[in-house]
C-alpha cells in the first residue's frame, strides 16, 4: 500500500519548499495567488493550481499528489481534480476505489486517508482498466462538471492534474475554471523542455500566471556508492526560467522506493 501517498507523511524537502514558495510569492508576483475576481460555483475554494507540462511521462500526477500532501501536512485542506480523463492516475496513487457520494444535487468527492478530496473519472468506472473513448467536447464538458457539480467543500487549495498536450482538456480547464497559477513539470532533457515550452506559451495566451517549475527525475543516487547519476545528462530547465521568467522551485530525483509504493 503506497503509504507515502495515502497518509500525510513528511513530503520531500523539495516539495515542502514549493509550498513555502506558493505562500511567499516572489516580488512582482504577489497578485498571482490572490485569486481571480470570481469563483463560479465554488466560492469556498481558496486557490486553484493547475499542474501541467505539455509533455507526457514527466511525473505530473506524482507532483500533484505530493503538493496536495504537502498542503495537508501544513494543516491546509486540499483537493485534487484529475483532469486526465483518458489516462487518470490519481485514484491509484491514493488507493481510492469507492464511488463519490451524492449530497443533495451534487456529488461529494472521494476522500483519501490523508483527508485529500479527490475526483477522477476512474472513480466512476466499474473497471479501472476500461478506456474512456470520448471526443474533445465530451472531455471538456466532464472536466467542467467535475468543478461545478461537485461539493468540494471548503478548500485552501484545489490542485488540477492536467493531461499531456495543449488541446481540449487543458484548454477546458483554463477557460472554464478560475485557475490562479500554473506549475510546470519537466524532466531535464532538452526534448522535454521543448515540449513544456508549448504549455508555457499556452498559459500566456490564456492569461494564466506561471508560478513555478518542478524538474522531476533530475538524478538518481547510486544505491551502492551513493554517487549522483544524471540520467538525462545536463539540465536544460534553466531555459524555462530565462525565456518565461518562471522560477525553478525544486529538482526531484528518481526515487525507486516511491515508484514501488505507487505500484503497490
Amino acid at each position: 500500500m503506497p503509504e507515502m501517498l495515502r497518509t500525510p507523511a513528511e513530503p520531500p524537502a523539495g516539495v515542502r519548499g514549493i509550498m513555502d514558495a506558493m505562500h511567499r510569492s516572489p516580488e512582482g508576483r504577489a497578485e498571482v495567488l490572490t485569486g481571480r475576481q470570481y469563483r463560479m460555483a465554488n466560492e469556498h475554494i481558496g486557490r486553484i493550481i493547475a499542474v501541467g507540462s505539455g509533455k507526457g511521462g514527466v511525473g505530473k500526477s506524482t507532483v500533484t499528489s505530493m503538493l496536495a500532501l504537502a498542503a495537508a501536512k501544513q494543516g491546509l485542506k486540499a483537493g485534487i481534480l484529475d483532469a486526465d480523463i483518458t489516462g487518470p492516475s490519481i485514484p491509484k496513487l491514493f488507493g481510492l476505489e469507492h464511488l463519490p457520494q451524492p449530497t443533495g444535487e451534487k456529488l461529494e468527492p472521494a476522500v483519501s486517508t490523508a483527508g485529500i478530496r479527490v475526483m477522477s473519472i476512474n472513480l466512476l468506472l466499474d473497471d479501472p482498466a476500461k478506456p474512456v473513448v470520448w471526443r474533445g467536447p465530451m472531455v471538456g464538458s466532464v472536466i467542467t462538471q467535475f468543478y461545478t457539480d461537485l461539493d468540494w467543500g471548503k478548500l485552501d487549495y484545489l490542485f488540477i492534474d492536467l493531461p499531456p498536450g495543449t488541446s481540449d482538456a487543458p484548454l477546458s480547464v483554463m477557460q472554464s475554471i478560475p485557475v490562479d497559477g500554473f506549475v510546470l513539470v519537466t524532466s531535464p532533457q532538452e526534448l522535454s523542455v521543448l515540449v513544456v515550452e508549448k504549455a508555457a506559451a499556452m498559459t500566456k495566451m490564456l492569461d494564466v500566471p506561471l508560478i513555478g517549475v518542478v524538474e522531476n527525475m533530475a538524478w538518481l543516487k547510486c544505491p551502492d556508492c551513493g554517487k549522483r547519476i544524471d540520467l538525462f545528462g545536463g539540465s536544460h530547465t534553466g531555459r524555462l526560467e530565462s525565456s518565461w521568467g518562471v522560477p525553478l522551485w525544486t529538482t526531484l530525483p528518481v526515487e525507486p522506493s516511491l515508484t514501488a509504493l505507487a505500484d503497490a
Side-chain angles (χ1 to χ4, degrees), residues 10-33:
E10 189 71 12
V15 176
R16 295 199 301 273
I18 290 175
M19 294 305 299
D20 292 340
M22 286 170 65
H23 285 296
R24 288 196 305 267
S25 194
E27 183 178 356
R29 291 176 176 268
E31 77 284 357
V32 166
L33 292 178

Side-chain angles (χ1 to χ4, degrees), residues 7 14 16 69 83 91 105 130 141 157 174 184 193 236 248 261:
T7 62
R16 295 199 301 273
L69 284 169
E105 297 181 354
K130 182 180 294 185
S141 175
Y157 283 99
M174 288 187 275
L184 291 168
V193 172
H236 295 267
L248 175 63
L261 288 170

Side-chain angles (χ1 to χ4, degrees), residues 10 22 36 40 54 98 104 119-120 138 166 174 190 194 198 200 203 231 240-241 256:
E10 189 71 12
M22 286 170 65
R36 298 283 177 93
M40 291 174 64
H98 55 279
M119 185 58 193
S120 172
M138 178 71 78
T166 56
M174 288 187 275
E190 185 175 7
L194 175 66
K198 294 179 182 289
T203 66
L231 296 172
L240 294 171
E241 296 182 84

Side-chain angles (χ1 to χ4, degrees), residues 58-76:
V58 295
K60 296 179 294 296
S61 297
T62 301
V63 170
T64 302
S65 300
M66 290 193 294
L67 284 171
L69 284 169
K73 184 67 177 179
Q74 294 187 11
L76 301 170

Side-chain angles (χ1 to χ4, degrees), residues 89-119:
S89 303
I90 297 297
K92 170 66 174 175
L93 290 174
F94 283 93
L96 293 171
E97 297 177 351
H98 55 279
L99 292 171
Q101 298 300 309
T103 57
E105 297 181 354
K106 294 190 173 186
L107 288 177
E108 184 173 325
V111 182
S112 78
T113 56
I116 296 167
R117 301 168 75 82
V118 173
M119 185 58 193

Side-chain angles (χ1 to χ4, degrees), residues 178-203:
V179 176
D180 293 298
F182 195 104
V183 177
L184 291 168
V185 181
T186 187
S187 51
Q189 69 267 45
E190 185 175 7
L191 177 61
S192 177
V193 172
L194 175 66
V195 179
V196 172
E197 283 192 290
K198 294 179 182 289
M202 182 182 188
T203 66

Side-chain angles (χ1 to χ4, degrees), residues 156-187:
D156 296 296
Y157 283 99
L158 176 63
F159 297 98
I160 302 179
D161 183 30
L162 293 175
T166 56
S167 57
D168 296 299
L171 185 62
S172 294
V173 167
M174 288 187 275
Q175 288 187 327
S176 63
I177 298 175
V179 176
D180 293 298
F182 195 104
V183 177
L184 291 168
V185 181
T186 187
S187 51

